[in-house]
Amino acid sequence: MLHHVLKKAGKNPVLLGNIGRPAFDLIDDIFPETPVIFEMSSHQLEYITIAPFVSVLLNLFQEHLDAYRSFRDYQLAKMNITRFQQEGDSFIFNADDTLIQGLVKEFHLTRNYLPFSFESELSDGCFVRDGWILYADECVAEPILNLEKKRKLKGDHNVRNCMAVINVCKILGIDNEIIREGIAGFTGLEHRLEYAGQFHGIHFYNDSIATIPEAATEAVKALENVDTIVLGGFDRGIDYSDFAQFLSRSTIRNFIFTGKAGKPDP
């Protein structure tokens, strides 16, 4: 989404990293003035010693626990995205995520903190009020995006994504109207709540990149009328108990389980 908005602004950005575009493959497309949007996995962040002057952390959920000694180690790897920034660099994060909030307080880093929140009004950064996303700068808030208007991206999690993008764009000095047009025109990514079509009156969505319970939960909430769901895949040792409770309270009638994570306990 950020790449789409900056492209709309004529900034000629480059999108690379864990999104499926190796950084070294695009070196020839990068110049000193090129904005680089680099999506980094925890595995990449684990070994960095330099971080961008604008870093974004959307959430901290259990993921890749098969590769880490503990959930704490995974969290520390993700936090490297700001731990290796320079003093005064900008760190954009989800203020509703208690784990991120706790780590921010723990490290006492001197950063330009620019949070976003769905639950609280902020003095700096983005928040939601009366159906609008507002951006605040030293307690002065301006409306940026009307959430009542039809959007191509479904779900509250995508509202958070919008707020993160707006924060970055405000740092980069992007005009509000371009931000609005860019977000409105972004259709999303393949395999993320991607509409696959209709067959015999049934609507199918491909959300196979929802590799953690929280992502699958948000997808079900966004689509609302889910009748059948396919779950499973590789088992990373994640706790599924909250997800199971959510599904048991849902109106979903049919469950199809695949892979090791879909097998019942012996």
Side-chain angles (χ1 to χ4, degrees):
M1 189 195 302
L2 177 58
H3 175 262
H4 183 81
V5 175
L6 293 185
K7 195 172 180 180
K8 184 82 175 176
K11 298 294 184 180
N12 297 318
V14 168
L15 177 65
L16 50 79
N18 201 46
I19 198 76
R21 297 173 179 169
F24 290 149
D25 287 359
L26 297 171
I27 285 179
D28 292 340
D29 298 329
I30 299 172
F31 303 94
E33 69 278 5
T34 303
V36 176
I37 297 95
F38 199 145
E39 188 191 25
M40 303 190 75
S41 71
S42 61
H43 306 300
Q44 293 167 315
L45 289 169
E46 188 173 357
Y47 300 106
I48 65 169
T49 56
I50 298 173
F53 80 98
V54 178
S55 291
V56 181
L57 184 55
L58 296 175
N59 50 58
L60 282 174
F61 294 130
Q62 290 188 31
E63 175 69 297
H64 304 300
L65 297 191
D66 56 313
Y68 292 91
R69 290 177 299 176
S70 67
F71 185 28
R72 166 77 174 180
D73 287 339
Y74 171 74
Q75 295 172 42
L76 293 177
K78 297 282 278 190
M79 281 297 290
N80 281 347
I81 201 166
T82 185
R83 289 171 72 189
F84 287 100
Q85 287 184 296
Q86 297 183 31
E87 184 174 317
D89 283 350
S90 296
F91 179 48
I92 295 165
F93 65 94
N94 181 357
D96 301 330
D97 190 306
T98 56
L99 290 174
I100 298 177
Q101 284 277 32
L103 289 166
V104 166
K105 293 177 181 177
E106 177 182 339
F107 289 122
H108 298 290
L109 302 171
T110 305
R111 301 286 182 267
N112 172 30
Y113 290 112
L114 205 59
F116 58 90
S117 174
F118 210 111
E119 301 170 3
S120 306
E121 295 193 7
L122 304 173
S123 57
D124 292 286
C126 279
F127 62 91
V128 175
R129 184 173 67 196
D130 299 330
W132 281 81
I133 292 177
L134 287 83
Y135 174 81
D137 182 10
E138 296 183 351
C139 297
V140 179
E142 60 174 330
I144 303 294
L145 191 67
N146 185 353
L147 297 176
E148 302 298 327
K149 291 187 176 181
K150 189 175 181 179
R151 287 176 286 121
K152 295 180 180 180
L153 298 181
K154 299 175 180 288
D156 290 347
H157 63 296
N158 274 319
V159 174
R160 288 186 168 90
N161 290 338
C162 289
M163 289 192 283
V165 166
I166 291 169
N167 277 355
V168 175
C169 288
K170 296 301 285 186
I171 291 172
L172 299 180
I174 306 300
D175 183 75
N176 288 347
E177 188 58 35
I178 291 176
I179 296 173
R180 284 189 282 268
E181 291 177 3
I183 291 176
F186 182 62
T187 57
L189 299 176
E190 292 182 335
H191 316 302
R192 284 190 181 168
L193 280 179
E194 180 186 10
Y195 185 59
Q198 181 179 345
F199 184 73
H200 284 229
I202 301 170
H203 297 277
F204 290 83
Y205 286 85
N206 175 359
D207 196 43
S208 55
I209 290 184
T211 56
I212 57 173
E214 290 81 4
T217 297
E218 291 301 320
V220 172
K221 289 179 180 178
L223 295 177
E224 297 180 345
N225 300 317
V226 178
D227 180 78
T228 301
I229 189 169
V230 180
L231 298 166
F234 185 78
D235 189 354
R236 299 187 185 276
I238 294 171
D239 183 0
Y240 295 104
S241 55
D242 288 345
F243 187 44
Q245 288 292 324
F246 168 78
L247 293 174
S248 70
R249 296 190 300 267
S250 73
T251 58
I252 301 173
R253 297 189 304 156
N254 305 304
F255 298 87
I256 302 170
F257 296 99
T258 67
K260 290 184 177 180
K263 290 184 177 181
D265 291 332

